[in-house]
Amino acid sequence: MLSLDALPLAASASNLLAAREQMAFTLGFHIVLSCLGVALPATILLANYIGLKKGDGDALELARRWSKAMAVTFAVGAVTGTVLSFEFGLLWPHFMERFGAAFGIAFGIEGLFFFLEAIFLAIYIYGWKRLPPWLHFWSGVPMFVTGIGGAFSVVAANSWMNQPQGFALDAAGKVTEVEPFKVIFNPATPYEVPHMILAAYMVTGFLVASIYAVGMLKGRRDRLHRLGLLIPLTIACIATPVQLLVGDTAAREVAKDQPAKFAAMECIQDTGGHQTEYIGGICTSSGVKLAIPIPDLDSLLVGFSPDAKVTGLNEIPNDERPPVNTLIHLAFDVMVGIGSALLLLGLWLAYGWYKKRDIPQTPWFLKAVAVSGIGAIAALWSGWIVTEVGRQPWIVNGYMKTSEAVTDANGIWGAFIFTLLL
């Protein structure tokens, strides 16, 4: 029987597995709520604008309903976000002790954006019947700005973990001479931040639209449901092709700056050109099994030439290779596959609107929209698996391993169980 210590992520100590799993489950729950906090303001404001501009009572009713829903998800997100912030110190004390002066900068900025968004959300909800309509609309605009700012700050911190810069280490190995601008605007920030913000708009748009699609499948074909589907779905469908372009750029940057992660994503064993792209399959040291191969495509995507050289795992020391390559590879395929399917859904919507100036109302279209929300969340989770597991064994790429950062305290499994219940 396979023992717990034989698992790749528990190799150094049982605490490492417990801490990683607790962080993963908390982040997986919180990040969906974060997406709503980032993208719901724009969705609400668009409905509000349509309602005021066209005198549309249904659009104003949607904006009112969505703002109340955002208040609930924002409150729950505040709780899960607080848990996450405590976990950094409790689960990874050696990381925070050594790199907190650099890592904490972006999180401090994010805290300011979070409180500002909470303040303006309260003003917006309170002002529905107390402010003139257009003044009330403009009172909600800061929610949109602070949502984007908060996402930028948090993802910049994660980008720094992937490509750290803006600091020096003293003789004891502690961070000195921190340069905040370089920490925040590290080389991974330009592609990670837009990738996450677009993902937030996709998750929110498809998720909200899916709720109204289910209602329409149950026979609720009134204008409120049709508009409730069309507004968020349009936002999500516009974000999707842009996201695919940003993701394509991000993959090339990862291949250049984080070669171990890219090799794990694509199951590349040996460095060289003419690298095959594998769809699905199981990664082994002797090749990819049970996959659909597309010769030369990996090299073409990375360097626009079949001769483009791509680094393989053979050039990465054994103790610096990401674990569970098959998980990383399949998560990457799931993310790209679902993104491509959502692009087709957007084209379906565009074609239907072009032909009839209305959403397609066939059962198949509504069923596709109904599952799109779950699909977008699955793609989001898969993307974070690629980012976080793909960086392993490093917590700060090239500087500190995750096993060096984890707490030595007892009771981490108990804390994990308590966090799941919470």
Side-chain angles (χ1 to χ4, degrees), residues 260-275:
K261 179 185 290 187
F262 188 83
M265 286 162 50
E266 300 289 12
C267 293
I268 299 172
Q269 293 297 323
D270 299 313
T271 300
H274 297 277
Q275 295 287 358

Side-chain angles (χ1 to χ4, degrees), residues 244-282:
L244 293 176
L245 291 174
V246 171
D248 180 62
T249 301
R252 276 194 293 278
E253 293 299 316
V254 169
K256 181 181 70 175
D257 298 320
Q258 301 176 67
K261 179 185 290 187
F262 188 83
M265 286 162 50
E266 300 289 12
C267 293
I268 299 172
Q269 293 297 323
D270 299 313
T271 300
H274 297 277
Q275 295 287 358
T276 300
E277 173 79 21
Y278 293 99
I279 300 176
I282 300 171

Side-chain angles (χ1 to χ4, degrees), residues 10-86:
S12 61
S14 180
N15 266 8
L16 181 59
L17 178 62
R20 283 178 56 86
E21 293 303 305
Q22 182 172 336
M23 202 77 185
F25 275 100
T26 310
L27 179 61
F29 190 89
H30 176 72
I31 198 163
V32 177
L33 298 171
S34 297
C35 287
L36 295 173
V38 172
L40 258 181
T43 311
I44 293 168
L45 288 172
L46 179 58
N48 194 341
Y49 179 82
I50 293 171
L52 293 177
K53 194 72 174 177
K54 298 184 177 181
D56 192 327
D58 288 328
L60 288 173
E61 176 61 24
L62 287 170
R64 189 178 294 108
R65 289 185 184 184
W66 291 343
S67 64
K68 293 177 181 178
M70 182 178 171
V72 175
T73 58
F74 195 87
V76 179
V79 175
T80 57
T82 302
V83 172
L84 266 174
S85 64
F86 276 110

Side-chain angles (χ1 to χ4, degrees), residues 2 77 106 125 128 142 144 165 171 241 263 370 401 415:
L2 183 67
I125 293 175
W128 268 111
F144 164 76
Q165 68 167 26
K401 291 188 175 179

Side-chain angles (χ1 to χ4, degrees), residues 187-198:
T189 299
Y191 62 84
E192 275 202 37
V193 168
H195 200 49
M196 182 60 221
I197 291 175
L198 287 165

